[in-house]
Amino acid sequence: AEEVGGGDKEVVRNYFNNSGFQRWKKIYGETDDVNKVQLDIRLGHSKTVENVMKMLTDDGSLNGVTVCDAGCGTGCLSIPLAKEGAVVSASDISAAMVAEAEKQAKEQLTAGNGDIAPVMPKFEVKDLESLDGKYDTVVCLDVLIHYPQNKADGMIAHLASLAENRLILSFAPKTFYYDLLKRIGELFPGPSKATRAYLHAEADVESALNKVGWKIRKRGLITTQFYFARLVEAVPA
Ligand code: SAM
């Protein structure tokens, strides 16, 4: 892969179409064939999804609201959004992930369960830099971990440009404690440690948002033993 201007992205795409797809499909699924660490990450991530759903529904009904789920993975967020009536555009850089998300959605969104008829999300294989259009809300969960802050800045600016009212991001926070844990972890690399993980300081994410005229309105922190996510909801300043 080329070193400059896209090296990371090619590595990430390749990982999430192959071993990363197998690993994360299990973590985000419901089967028993996960180890303790994977089970803990599954729990932490499901809390992030719950928190996002709460942030969004506390603001009012999602019925008919357009939502862009950038880096949708296997559809963990897109599906509950669709169940609330949101009109979801779900995309991911990995074709394998998108195919899995579509399969899950078809299984889970068949019958309406009450007043709200779920709308099937529109699925697309696309990296988030090439997304366009306008959405009421843009959400990007646990994607920034694959990019260093200098690339994350541009991604945040681009995502903000697609959102009319809200932008929700989650990322692994760069705090002293977590930084230390990660450094210790790097001394003992396990077999499944396939991509680099980048942590982001909340202040850096906030200044990237402020630079393009957005401000943080709500913050959350989700932690389990092995999963750490800072959650922020930003709105036009
Ligand atoms: N957002 C999903 C969730 O929370 O369930 C998936 C999170 S998973 C850790 C990261 C996802 O980001 C993977 O599905 C990966 O393919 C996708 N991804 C990584 N880089 C991307 C990019 N530049 N554009 C779009 N998707 C990307």
Side-chain angles (χ1 to χ4, degrees):
E2 48 180 334
E3 264 312 322
V4 182
D8 278 338
K9 200 150 91 176
E10 278 321 305
V11 171
V12 169
R13 188 201 317 268
N14 194 34
Y15 171 69
F16 281 106
N17 271 322
N18 296 288
S19 63
F21 171 64
Q22 297 304 334
R23 174 177 153 84
W24 289 98
K25 183 175 77 159
K26 271 205 300 193
I27 292 175
Y28 293 153
E30 287 173 351
T31 51
D32 298 335
D33 56 343
V34 283
N35 63 36
K36 266 187 160 172
V37 174
Q38 292 170 332
L39 190 63
D40 179 85
I41 296 172
R42 178 189 283 175
L43 177 71
H45 175 262
S46 71
K47 285 191 189 181
T48 297
V49 171
E50 267 170 42
N51 272 259
V52 172
M53 289 305 294
K54 188 168 185 319
M55 268 184 177
L56 289 173
T57 51
D58 276 357
D59 259 8
S61 167
L62 286 173
N63 205 2
V65 174
T66 52
V67 182
C68 168
D69 183 7
C72 65
T74 58
C76 294
L77 178 72
S78 289
I79 294 168
L81 284 170
K83 285 186 178 160
E84 292 295 320
V87 178
V88 182
S89 298
S91 56
D92 198 284
I93 196 172
S94 155
M97 284 287 189
V98 173
E100 178 64 21
E102 202 158 9
K103 180 177 158 237
Q104 294 287 334
K106 281 186 181 140
E107 282 170 17
Q108 296 181 43
L109 295 175
T110 41
N113 55 344
D115 313 337
I116 299 164
V119 184
M120 188 58 70
K122 184 178 159 220
F123 291 103
E124 264 184 305
V125 181
K126 239 181 183 192
D127 63 54
L128 61 83
E129 295 82 354
S130 34
L131 288 172
D132 53 14
K134 284 278 181 195
Y135 309 87
D136 177 86
T137 301
V138 175
V139 187
C140 184
L141 299 187
D142 294 2
V143 177
L144 297 178
I145 189 160
H146 305 296
Y147 299 91
Q149 188 64 45
N150 63 350
K151 290 218 174 107
D153 280 354
M155 291 171 123
I156 292 169
H158 181 59
L159 291 172
S161 78
L162 307 172
E164 270 157 357
N165 291 312
R166 289 182 292 214
L167 171 59
I168 295 183
L169 300 169
S170 72
F171 54 92
K174 188 172 190 169
T175 58
F176 171 75
Y177 171 70
Y178 191 38
D179 228 14
L180 189 72
L181 273 185
K182 187 177 167 266
R183 258 178 281 144
I184 295 167
E186 275 167 0
L187 299 175
F188 306 99
S192 59
K193 202 175 152 294
T195 48
R196 280 197 66 169
Y198 297 95
L199 311 178
H200 301 281
E202 193 179 348
D204 291 340
V205 172
E206 188 159 18
S207 77
L209 286 163
N210 293 162
K211 243 187 267 167
V212 290
W214 286 63
K215 62 166 194 250
I216 295 180
R217 180 170 73 171
K218 292 183 199 159
R219 297 168 207 260
L221 182 68
I222 297 97
T223 64
T224 60
Q225 225 180 331
F226 298 99
Y227 177 92
F228 297 76
R230 170 63 74 187
L231 187 62
V232 299
E233 185 196 75
V235 293

